[in-house]
Amino acid sequence: MAESADLIIQAKGLTKKFGKRIAVNDISFSVQKGEILGFLGPNAAGKTTTMKMLTCFYPPTEGTAIVNGYDVVSDSYGVRRSIGYMPENVPLYVDMTVEEYLYFVAKAKSIPPADIKGAISKALERCNLTNVSNQLIATISRGYKQRVGLAQAIINDPPVLILDEPSVGLDPAQIKDFRELIVELGKSSTVILSTHILSEAQLICGRVCILDHGSIIAVDTPSNLSDRLQKSTALSVQLLASETDKVVEDLKKLEGVSGVEEVKRESLSGCEHPLLSFKVEIAKTDLLVRKAINVLAVEKDWTLYSMQADRLSLEDVFINLVKEHEEEISEESTSEAEIDLQKETEGEG
């Protein structure tokens, strides 16, 4: 596998089978140095299995991956020295204090004795654990336990962080703190994280990798994925107008507009007319329509309050892609069944 100075992870043909079940099926992808890549997918899509192959927890059945220059098959020790891994269920020793546990992890990761104290102090500070450092892990909250899990992953300043559902079980305030922490860690490490919180992935990740049934069905930025799936563009338009009943009719007459829907009407303090909100369906190229709406607003004496493009959210993209992939799998299964039936019929004949 060819290497690039800018690529810190390169996976090629990764496959993992458990008996007859194929958990990960011949996937290939790469991750740039300093990138935060999100793994998205329904349950049993292959996210965790892929992460376990990258961390040398599972050997691949076929294919391989290079992590920070080390091969997961032939140099698993080099890979393990290069990564920080936070599994979904962090194996914490709850009868230890937070600081004792991090000392144990530092020794296990072969951090030089002279550097252990500084490494623990840095991890405690980065993960906001200083105030609970002397508490037994059994007595701290779920949010703090997740932070301890992250602290053990980063204590050796690894160039690669692999985080499996790091925000699971956290409340909204804790999720926000965790998100900010991961973004900060991404400034010094390459990060792969899996999550079911799609809004988090959209805020954190430069790219997302969507898996389903062990296969990669898309890899791109959230913005590019939205553009690829966007069949048409909608503009959200807000304006103030005196003759409110004619606005929809006037907007529909504009060239390039395929539909107009009033979605909200509200009163603004100090305004004589209501604030009207519309969804204006248009062709993909919206610049001419935007200009036409501006011209129309001047002609009709409307006060144009706001106008912006609606885009598919990452949740919409995820649902659409998985649905399409499920339909493809269903069609392939049906075709195979029909072929098998035909062969059986011909054999009987």
Side-chain angles (χ1 to χ4, degrees):
M1 185 185 301
E3 295 186 34
S4 164
D6 294 329
L7 294 181
I8 198 163
I9 297 174
Q10 295 174 285
K12 185 175 182 180
L14 276 182
T15 299
K16 185 62 182 178
K17 298 177 183 177
F18 297 98
K20 293 182 179 180
R21 185 175 74 86
I22 301 176
V24 175
N25 186 20
D26 190 26
I27 66 171
S28 300
F29 63 93
S30 60
V31 187
Q32 297 279 343
K33 187 175 182 180
E35 184 177 13
I36 301 179
L37 176 71
F39 274 1
L40 308 180
N43 290 331
K47 305 183 298 296
T48 294
T49 303
T50 301
M51 288 181 154
K52 287 186 173 182
M53 286 191 284
L54 292 177
T55 56
C56 304
F57 197 93
Y58 291 155
T61 306
E62 298 172 16
T64 191
I66 305 296
V67 178
N68 195 37
Y70 300 101
D71 191 300
V72 297
V73 175
S74 62
D75 197 350
S76 65
Y77 184 65
V79 173
R80 294 178 201 199
R81 286 184 303 174
S82 301
I83 62 172
Y85 177 41
M86 179 181 174
E88 183 176 355
N89 298 307
V90 184
L92 302 175
Y93 294 118
V94 296
D95 56 344
M96 291 182 174
T97 68
V98 172
E99 191 165 344
E100 286 171 344
Y101 173 72
L102 292 180
Y103 178 83
F104 165 77
V105 172
K107 294 281 286 184
K109 292 191 174 186
S110 301
I111 295 176
D115 298 334
I116 288 179
K117 184 176 180 180
I120 293 173
S121 178
K122 184 178 179 181
L124 289 170
E125 184 177 349
R126 293 177 83 182
C127 295
N128 196 20
L129 288 167
T130 306
N131 60 329
V132 297
S133 62
N134 294 316
Q135 284 186 229
L136 287 176
I137 293 174
T139 68
I140 61 179
S141 69
R142 174 61 184 268
Y144 274 122
K145 285 176 181 173
Q146 290 294 97
R147 287 178 176 274
V148 174
L150 186 58
Q152 66 80 25
I154 68 172
I155 194 166
N156 57 327
D157 278 331
V160 179
L161 277 175
I162 297 181
L163 314 176
D164 194 356
E165 297 286 350
S167 300
V168 67
L170 303 185
D171 64 38
Q174 292 170 332
I175 288 173
K176 180 177 180 294
D177 290 343
F178 230 73
R179 180 179 71 224
E180 292 172 351
L181 179 55
I182 291 171
V183 170
E184 183 63 29
L185 291 171
K187 295 178 181 178
S188 56
S189 299
T190 298
V191 180
I192 294 181
L193 67 91
S194 70
T195 180
H196 281 101
I197 306 172
L198 300 185
S199 58
E200 290 301 295
Q202 192 151 14
L203 289 169
I204 294 173
C205 303
R207 288 191 306 148
V208 294
C209 177
I210 301 178
L211 294 95
D212 187 39
H213 288 279
S215 298
I216 293 176
I217 57 178
V219 183
D220 213 329
T221 66
S223 176
N224 286 345
L225 288 173
S226 177
D227 286 343
R228 280 166 51 186
L229 291 177
Q230 199 93 37
K231 301 292 190 297
S232 63
T233 301
L235 290 175
S236 291
V237 178
Q238 290 185 305
L239 55 85
L240 302 168
S242 55
E243 297 179 339
T244 57
D245 295 336
K246 293 185 177 181
V247 176
V248 171
E249 182 181 341
D250 290 334
L251 287 171
K252 282 183 176 179
K253 292 177 181 177
L254 294 176
E255 184 178 353
V257 172
S258 56
V260 180
E261 177 188 359
E262 183 178 335
V263 294
K264 194 174 182 181
R265 183 179 295 219
E266 58 188 315
S267 299
L268 293 182
S269 178
C271 291
E272 179 183 356
H273 307 303
L275 178 65
L276 308 176
S277 299
F278 300 94
K279 183 177 181 179
V280 181
E281 295 280 353
I282 62 175
K284 275 192 175 181
T285 305
D286 65 350
L287 293 178
L288 294 178
V289 178
R290 285 173 178 265
K291 182 177 180 180
I293 291 174
N294 276 299
V295 171
L296 185 62
V298 173
E299 291 177 356
K300 299 293 183 179
D301 199 26
W302 300 337
T303 300
L304 197 56
Y305 197 79
S306 70
M307 181 165 50
Q308 60 184 17
D310 281 347
R311 299 180 59 84
L312 289 176
S313 67
L314 186 55
E315 183 174 1
D316 295 327
V317 169
F318 174 80
I319 291 171
N320 289 341
L321 285 171
V322 170
K323 182 180 178 181
E324 288 177 6
H325 190 242
E326 297 283 352
E327 289 173 351
E328 288 174 6
I329 291 174
S330 178
E331 288 174 3
E332 288 174 3
S333 298
T334 302
S335 298
E336 289 174 1
E338 289 173 349
I339 291 170
D340 290 341
L341 180 60
Q342 183 179 353
K343 288 180 178 178
E344 288 177 9
T345 304
E346 290 172 352
E348 291 172 1

